[in-house]
Amino acid sequence: MSVVNDIEPVTFFFEDDGLVPNNPLPLLFYRGAVEIATDHPEKTIEGLFGANGWGAMWRNGVYDYLHYHATVHEALGVARGRARVRFGGNSGKELEIMAGDVAILPAGTGHQCAFASPDFCVVGAYPPGPPMQITRPTPDNHAKALKTIPQVKLPKTDPVRGADGPLARLWKQS
C-alpha cells in the first residue's frame, strides 16, 4: 500500500446550524495521504480502507446537494481529479480536495460538492455498523439525527493509518 505513514490529519470543527447537526468530533482531513501513482487508484484506496477495517465501499463523486449521514461515520478517499466540497453545511468550510486526499467525516457532518473536475472519483467507506443513509437537512431530520448521532460508535481503526492511527486519539480528546 502506498500510504504516507507520518502524515497527520488537519482537524475541522463544525457547529450545529439548526438544520445540519454536524458533530462535536472533528472532521479529519489528510492531504496527500495516499500515493496513487498507479493505473488503478480506486483499488489502492479500497485496499487501504479494507485493510484498516472500513468496508461497504462505493465509487462515485460527492453529491451536489447538502446532505449528511446520521447513523455512521464516513471516509472519502479521492482517487482521481479534484473538487471543492463544502463540509459542515452552509456555514461550514469549502475545501479543495484532490487525488490522494482522505476526509473522515464523523456522523452528522454536512457535505456538498460545489465543483468537480470531469475525472473526479471518490471511494467512500464506512466502519462496521449500521448501513449508511442519506439525510437531507430538514427540521424533522435534524431532530431525529440529534438522537441517533450520539449512539454511533467510535471506529476501532483509522481508515488511513489503522489501529494506531490518530483517529482514535483525536476523536477521544474531543
Side-chain angles (χ1 to χ4, degrees):
M1 219 91 29
S2 301
V3 178
V4 180
N5 286 324
D6 60 347
I7 194 166
E8 282 286 318
V10 176
T11 58
F12 296 94
F13 291 88
F14 302 110
E15 297 290 324
D16 182 333
D17 69 6
L19 287 177
V20 176
N22 289 305
N23 197 306
L25 301 173
L27 177 143
L28 306 181
F29 183 68
Y30 285 97
R31 172 75 70 196
V34 184
E35 294 177 11
I36 53 158
T38 70
D39 291 339
H40 304 288
E42 294 87 355
K43 288 183 181 180
T44 299
I45 294 170
E46 289 166 347
L48 174 65
F49 288 171
N52 289 320
W54 288 57
M57 290 180 234
W58 52 266
R59 296 179 186 181
N60 202 345
V62 175
Y63 291 126
D64 63 358
Y65 58 86
L66 181 56
H67 66 285
Y68 59 90
H69 311 294
T71 59
V72 68
H73 308 296
E74 180 175 46
L76 301 174
V78 183
R80 299 176 191 269
R82 60 183 30 213
R84 270 191 331 274
V85 176
R86 184 181 317 115
F87 294 101
N90 291 329
S91 56
K93 181 171 182 61
E94 248 184 44
L95 294 177
E96 180 88 16
I97 61 174
M98 60 193 76
D101 294 347
V102 176
I104 307 167
L105 290 64
T109 302
H111 48 295
Q112 173 182 14
C113 186
F115 163 82
S117 63
D119 62 339
F120 182 61
C121 181
V122 168
V123 173
Y126 308 94
M132 181 275 293
Q133 297 175 349
I134 296 171
T135 305
R136 294 287 219 28
T138 68
D140 285 345
N141 287 342
H142 181 267
K144 291 175 192 170
L146 291 178
K147 295 176 184 170
T148 60
I149 291 169
Q151 297 174 19
V152 178
K153 293 180 181 173
L154 291 179
K156 294 185 180 189
T157 59
D158 184 306
V160 175
R161 300 212 9 227
D164 296 328
L167 180 143
R169 173 178 40 87
L170 293 170
W171 280 9
K172 281 183 183 172
Q173 289 175 351
S174 298

